[in-house]
């Protein structure tokens, strides 16, 4: 589903740094390759081809069992539920120190924010999201090339919203399939990852095959600047992925991923309901700053579509949790989405609007205002 601007900003502010690798300079002393050498292409190793084929079959099995036909013709979903964020005093004070570059010392005892979420999301990228809770009431919409973010408490809005993708699908069956195709493009068809087989084992009477994909990253460097949002969300495009797959059903049993440069390391164990539909995921997260357990649970309606999703990710000093009910539709149209902000509201620039939203959230969860930090003077968004 589509995420709102505020959680994205929080992700960008809290994740560690990454800088692009320097491009290699040409060596003038190196002789030019011959035409025959240029035309020659190395034949893929049989083991690598087998690993790529195995992952392709797994992604196809996920498409068929987790998503597939139940979502054919489904153009929209109503989502309603809660989102909770809790931080300890230590986590808040550390972020205060980081944002202010040591100029401000936090004195928070901890805090939490609880949000009620209600929205309609179309496969083509149109959406309407209502957020209400500890930091106020927000309306965030997009219909075609028009949209806005509106704050009820500020009676203000901005019309600068990100456009939908030009190749956005019309149904959620295609939406899920495109997501899996993005993974295929990087791991199966692309040149970035080296693929290998890591053997087979018997687990509870099932033959499980291990597939490994490796694209080396640099080591962790805590001194690097905070990274952009695009870099944060693209962490999965490099690193080491090991997938344990049931050779009969082709469904993943365990996934282990790490990207040392971005401090990400997590393991997921999957369990299934009838017809190989995903039922739950147990998470062992060792990512920097979020070491701890997590879980995801999925319920289904009589049509075979997801009817509710809930999850939690916790560490020693922070926890994020959510619970959402889902209602899918073939007939709802984008005309249900309000395309203009309420009359009488004041228009603002996007950066100013997002900063003010975070200031309001800070009073509830970060306690930064009490610590004397002026968020307007700190770079908090994607760079």
């Amino acid at each position: 589903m589509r995420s709102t601007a505020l959680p994205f900003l929080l992700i960008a502010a809290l994740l560690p740094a990454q800088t692009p690798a320097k491009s290699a300079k040409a060596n003038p002393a190196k002789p030019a390759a011959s035409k025959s050498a240029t035309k020659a292409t190395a034949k893929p190793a049989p083991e690598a081809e087998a690993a790529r084929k195995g992952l392709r079959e797994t992604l196809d099995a996920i498409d068929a069992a987790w998503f597939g036909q139940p979502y054919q013709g489904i153009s929209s979903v109503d989502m309603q539920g809660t989102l909770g964020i809790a931080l300890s005093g230590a986590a808040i004070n550390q972020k205060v120190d980081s944002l202010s570059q040591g100029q401000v010392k936090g004195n928070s005892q901890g805090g939490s924010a609880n949000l009620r979420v209600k929205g309609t999301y179309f496969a083509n990228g149109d959406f309407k999201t209502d957020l209400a809770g500890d930091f106020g009431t927000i309306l965030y919409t997009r219909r075609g090339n028009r949209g806005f973010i509106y704050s009820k408490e500020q009676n203000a809005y901005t019309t600068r919203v990100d456009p939908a993708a030009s190749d956005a699908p019309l149904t959620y069956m295609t939406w899920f399939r495109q997501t899996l195709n993005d993974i295929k493009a990087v791991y199966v068809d692309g040149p970035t990852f080296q693929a290998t087989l890591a053997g087979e084992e018997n687990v509870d009477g099932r033959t499980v095959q291990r597939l490994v994909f490796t694209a080396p990253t640099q080591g962790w460097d805590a001194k690097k600047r905070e990274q952009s949002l695009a870099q944060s969300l693209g962490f999965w495009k490099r690193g080491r992925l090991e997938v344990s797959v049931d050779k009969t059903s082709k469904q993943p049993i365990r996934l282990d991923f790490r990207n040392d440069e971005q401090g990400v390391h997590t393991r997921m164990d999957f369990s299934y309901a009838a017809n190989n539909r995903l039922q739950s995921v147990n998470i062992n997260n060792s990512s920097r700053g979020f070491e701890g357990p997590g879980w995801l649970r999925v319920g289904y309606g009589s049509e075979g579509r997801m009817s509710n999703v809930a999850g939690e990710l916790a560490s020693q000093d922070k926890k994020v949790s959510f619970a959402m009910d889902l209602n899918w539709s073939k007939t709802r149209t984008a005309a249900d989405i309000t395309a203009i902000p309420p009359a009488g509201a004041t228009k603002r620039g996007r950066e100013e609007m997002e900063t003010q939203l975070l200031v309001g959230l800070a009073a509830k969860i970060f306690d930064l205002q009490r610590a004397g930090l002026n968020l307007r003077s700190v770079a908090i968004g994607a760079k």
Side-chain angles (χ1 to χ4, degrees), residues 343-357:
T346 302
K347 186 175 181 179
R348 291 180 179 166
R350 178 168 173 171
E351 290 78 9
E352 180 185 6
M353 185 75 177
E354 291 173 345
T355 299
Q356 287 299 316
L357 291 178

Side-chain angles (χ1 to χ4, degrees), residues 81-269:
T82 58
L83 171 66
I85 305 170
L87 296 179
S88 70
I92 294 172
N93 295 335
Q94 182 181 19
K95 192 59 187 175
V96 170
D97 182 75
S98 173
L99 285 174
S100 65
Q101 299 180 348
Q103 298 178 29
V104 177
K105 297 300 180 183
N107 58 1
S108 176
Q109 299 301 310
S112 63
N114 295 290
L115 314 177
R116 296 182 299 279
V117 182
K118 182 179 180 180
T120 300
Y121 306 89
F122 289 83
N124 70 355
D126 293 334
F127 66 89
K128 174 185 176 183
T129 298
D130 288 286
L131 293 174
D134 288 335
F135 69 90
T137 302
I138 303 296
L139 174 60
Y140 184 21
T141 77
R142 181 177 65 211
R143 191 176 75 187
N145 293 325
R146 302 176 64 185
F148 62 91
I149 304 173
Y150 169 75
S151 167
K152 180 179 178 181
E153 284 69 27
Q154 299 177 40
N155 194 28
Y157 70 95
T158 177
T159 56
R160 287 184 56 193
V161 296
D162 296 325
S166 59
D167 61 345
L170 298 179
T171 70
Y172 270 101
M173 186 175 75
T174 307
W175 191 95
F176 290 125
R177 188 162 294 167
Q178 283 190 2
T179 301
L180 294 172
N181 286 340
D182 288 344
I183 298 174
K184 287 182 185 179
V186 173
Y187 284 89
V188 177
D189 302 325
T192 303
F193 283 86
Q194 296 181 348
T196 58
L197 298 174
E200 297 181 358
E201 57 185 336
N202 187 282
V203 178
D204 298 329
R206 298 175 297 184
T207 302
V208 175
Q209 184 179 46
R210 293 161 56 204
L211 315 174
V212 178
F213 298 81
T214 306
T217 65
Q218 300 177 12
W220 170 263
D221 184 356
K223 296 180 180 179
K224 289 180 179 177
R225 64 169 175 81
E226 288 188 345
Q227 63 193 3
S228 70
L229 182 58
Q231 290 170 320
S232 298
L233 299 181
F235 68 88
W236 58 277
K237 295 182 179 180
R238 295 196 71 86
R240 183 184 188 275
L241 172 68
E242 180 173 328
V243 186
S244 298
V245 179
D246 185 323
K247 287 196 70 175
T248 301
S249 69
K250 304 300 181 182
Q251 297 292 335
I253 304 302
R254 172 175 292 178
L255 180 151
D256 190 291
F257 175 83
R258 68 182 307 144
N259 180 323
D260 291 332
E261 184 174 4
Q262 292 184 270
V264 176
H265 184 197
T266 189
R267 190 185 77 192
M268 301 181 183
D269 293 280

Side-chain angles (χ1 to χ4, degrees), residues 283-361:
I283 303 170
N284 184 347
N285 194 24
S286 301
S287 301
R288 287 181 180 266
F290 228 125
E291 297 88 346
W295 54 267
L296 176 73
R297 303 289 183 267
V298 184
Y300 295 86
S302 58
E303 309 88 350
R305 294 189 286 269
M306 291 179 283
S307 60
N308 56 81
V309 181
E312 179 179 289
L313 193 59
S315 69
Q316 184 176 0
D317 54 10
K318 58 179 74 77
K319 181 173 73 174
V320 176
S321 58
F322 68 92
M324 299 289 171
D325 292 326
L326 310 175
N327 183 23
W328 308 84
S329 174
K330 295 182 179 181
T331 59
R332 195 177 293 108
T333 68
D336 298 332
I337 296 177
T338 303
I340 58 175
T346 302
K347 186 175 181 179
R348 291 180 179 166
R350 178 168 173 171
E351 290 78 9
E352 180 185 6
M353 185 75 177
E354 291 173 345
T355 299
Q356 287 299 316
L357 291 178
L358 282 180
V359 168
L361 181 59

Side-chain angles (χ1 to χ4, degrees), residues 63-65 67-74 173 177 303 305 330:
D63 179 33
F67 311 120
Q69 290 302 315
Y71 299 91
Q72 185 174 18
I74 297 295
M173 186 175 75
R177 188 162 294 167
E303 309 88 350
R305 294 189 286 269
K330 295 182 179 181

